[in-house]
Amino acid sequence: MKGKITKRGDSWSMMIDLPRHPITGKRRQRRITADTKREVEALATQALASIETGGFAEADAKKITVEAYLAQWLESIRGNVKPITMRHYGDLLRLHIVPAIGKVHLAKLSPSDLQRLYADRLTKGGLSPTSVGTIHVILHRALKQGMRWGLLARNVTEAVDPPRKNVPTCTTWSREQAADFLTVADQHTWAALWRLALFTGMRRGEMLALRWEDVDLQRSVLAVRQTYSRGGDGFVFGTPKSAAGRRSIALPRSLVTALHKHRVEQVEGRLKLGTSYQDQGLVFANPLGEPLHPNTMTNQFKRLVVSAGVPLIRIHDLRHTSATLMLANNIHPKIVQERLGHSDVSMTLNRYSHVTMDMQRDAADQMDTLMEGAS
């Protein structure tokens, strides 16, 4: 918006309004000064045109460093991402992004800066291609917002290719090893928890957040409605990351029996403690009724594995074991996808391609048998 042209000494000037600051919302102005009134009018016209095309965005970006901008951006998304995501983004910014490019002015950030950052984190920073890919995603999202705020004319991440992600290797147990583990785990206080992990493929956070109101033992089904994971201020309850994560899972008879037994034992413990028991309705809780700490579950799992004499795997590998055993026994991949909470069946097929290839070989052999029988 043009203002009034005034004469100040031997020069002419006019104050024009700039777009409000994209982050603070404060009003911003710029004074145009020249030797003649006509020159002021011409410069003001150019300035207003520059505003329309984002020219003043670059001027603002020259005054702010990448570190300062990313801090403001991270705070702006706090209410739109899960606490665990907020914490993960904050850690990557603090430990890897800011030390490398934090002092660069936002307007001067270049594709080569990002390429050096990615290469350095891979070779010296000890990060995997997947983690560096996450850094790329963070920067792309942050700079895209910078364009929306009018601070940037382009997103330099568009000119940089992130490293190709590693395909994670699934470490699993055989059917015999899983059975050996259950023989020992069935004697444990949380016997139902270990069966739940192997028979449903639920994630650790999903199991620790499971409430009795989400379990229908009469119908032999449970609903995954919340998770328990690390946030900015410790572990917190939240919702699954995707719509596919919110799902219903049918339960086998042995697991229903184990859950019945677990519930009876939990009620007995609650009655003994009386008012000291903090009932939160959780299926798996500590002796006081509070949420189990994930590390407690992990440490107990390791002890049970040693007692069972089976190979040590991660708790998350119980999920992989569950999926592998289902697929190896010709359960349709679509059913496996739904039980695991994958958003698409292709994710299931790609993750467990080593199993599905065996299924393909079985199908090929069956075609031979089918045709031979017909002839």
Side-chain angles (χ1 to χ4, degrees):
M1 178 184 296
K2 288 188 178 181
K4 182 180 179 181
I5 299 178
T6 58
K7 188 174 183 180
R8 304 178 66 181
D10 295 331
S11 61
W12 294 79
S13 67
M14 180 177 66
M15 191 73 73
I16 63 171
D17 289 330
L18 303 179
R20 289 186 177 273
H21 194 283
I23 300 174
T24 64
K26 292 182 178 179
R27 183 185 181 189
R28 296 180 299 172
Q29 293 181 310
R30 179 177 178 180
R31 183 177 295 279
I32 305 294
T33 303
D35 294 334
T36 67
K37 184 177 181 179
R38 181 170 293 181
E39 286 181 299
V40 169
E41 290 178 334
L43 290 173
T45 300
Q46 293 177 7
L48 292 172
S50 181
I51 292 173
E52 294 295 327
T53 58
F56 277 95
E58 294 182 8
D60 290 328
K62 289 178 182 178
K63 300 176 184 178
I64 185 173
T65 63
V66 169
E67 178 179 9
Y69 171 72
L70 290 177
Q72 293 171 334
W73 167 78
L74 187 63
E75 188 60 31
S76 74
I77 66 170
R78 181 176 294 279
N80 298 321
V81 299
K82 292 183 178 298
I84 190 172
T85 302
M86 190 74 177
R87 180 177 179 272
H88 186 44
Y89 281 11
D91 287 345
L92 288 176
L93 287 174
R94 176 174 52 85
L95 297 174
H96 300 286
I97 299 175
V98 168
I101 60 174
K103 302 306 179 185
V104 177
H105 282 90
L106 189 61
K108 295 184 178 180
L109 186 64
S110 67
S112 60
D113 290 327
L114 301 187
Q115 205 68 66
R116 283 194 295 271
L117 166 65
Y118 299 165
D120 179 75
R121 293 299 83 192
L122 285 171
T123 58
K124 300 177 183 178
L127 295 185
S128 67
T130 299
S131 295
V132 176
T134 302
I135 287 177
H136 179 80
V137 169
I138 292 173
L139 290 173
H140 181 272
R141 181 175 178 181
L143 299 181
K144 183 178 181 179
Q145 187 61 58
M147 293 177 65
R148 291 173 176 169
W149 282 341
L151 287 172
L152 294 169
R154 68 165 183 153
N155 188 335
V156 295
T157 60
E158 300 285 358
V160 182
D161 293 324
R164 183 174 298 179
K165 293 182 179 180
N166 287 334
V167 177
T169 301
C170 299
T171 304
T172 61
W173 284 333
S174 66
R175 181 179 61 178
E176 292 74 20
Q177 290 168 336
D180 289 342
F181 172 78
L182 285 178
T183 298
V184 174
D186 280 342
Q187 310 306 314
H188 188 256
T189 304
W190 304 331
L193 177 61
W194 310 119
R195 281 191 171 267
L196 186 70
L198 270 171
F199 289 4
T200 68
M202 288 173 65
R203 300 174 179 89
R204 181 179 66 175
E206 294 171 342
M207 292 186 287
L208 294 182
L210 188 64
R211 300 164 296 186
W212 284 115
E213 66 184 70
D214 302 323
V215 181
D216 188 336
L217 293 178
Q218 287 188 337
R219 295 177 54 239
S220 300
V221 66
L222 65 78
V224 178
R225 292 173 178 155
Q226 65 175 9
T227 61
Y228 187 62
S229 58
R230 186 184 295 277
D233 300 315
F235 286 87
V236 296
F237 290 100
T239 56
K241 292 189 293 184
S242 66
R246 297 184 289 274
R247 62 199 188 276
S248 295
I249 304 176
L251 307 176
R253 287 190 300 272
S254 65
L255 178 52
V256 171
T257 300
L259 285 169
H260 268 298
K261 180 181 177 182
H262 175 74
R263 190 169 195 175
V264 170
E265 293 174 348
Q266 189 182 70
V267 170
E268 291 174 348
R270 183 177 63 193
L271 292 175
K272 288 180 181 178
L273 286 176
T275 56
S276 298
Y277 191 86
Q278 303 298 315
D279 190 7
Q280 298 185 33
L282 296 171
V283 176
F284 303 106
N286 67 19
L288 294 177
E290 300 165 335
L292 280 176
H293 195 287
N295 289 346
T296 301
M297 181 180 174
T298 299
N299 293 335
Q300 185 58 53
F301 173 70
K302 291 178 180 178
R303 287 192 284 269
L304 290 173
V305 169
V306 172
S307 298
V310 294
L312 180 61
I313 60 175
R314 304 170 304 163
I315 280 187
H316 193 71
D317 291 328
L318 292 176
R319 175 174 167 84
H320 295 319
T321 297
S322 178
T324 299
L325 292 177
M326 283 190 285
L327 290 169
N329 283 275
N330 296 313
I331 295 177
H332 196 285
K334 182 65 178 176
I335 301 299
V336 178
Q337 171 222 329
E338 292 174 352
R339 290 179 70 82
L340 295 180
H342 286 164
S343 57
D344 190 86
V345 71
S346 63
M347 182 185 299
T348 309
L349 294 173
N350 291 336
R351 177 64 60 87
Y352 303 104
S353 58
H354 61 293
V355 186
T356 54
M357 180 53 67
D358 290 338
M359 295 171 68
Q360 284 200 43
R361 291 194 183 96
D362 289 341
D365 293 340
Q366 289 179 36
M367 287 303 294
D368 268 343
T369 303
L370 178 65
M371 291 298 104
E372 289 170 0
S375 61

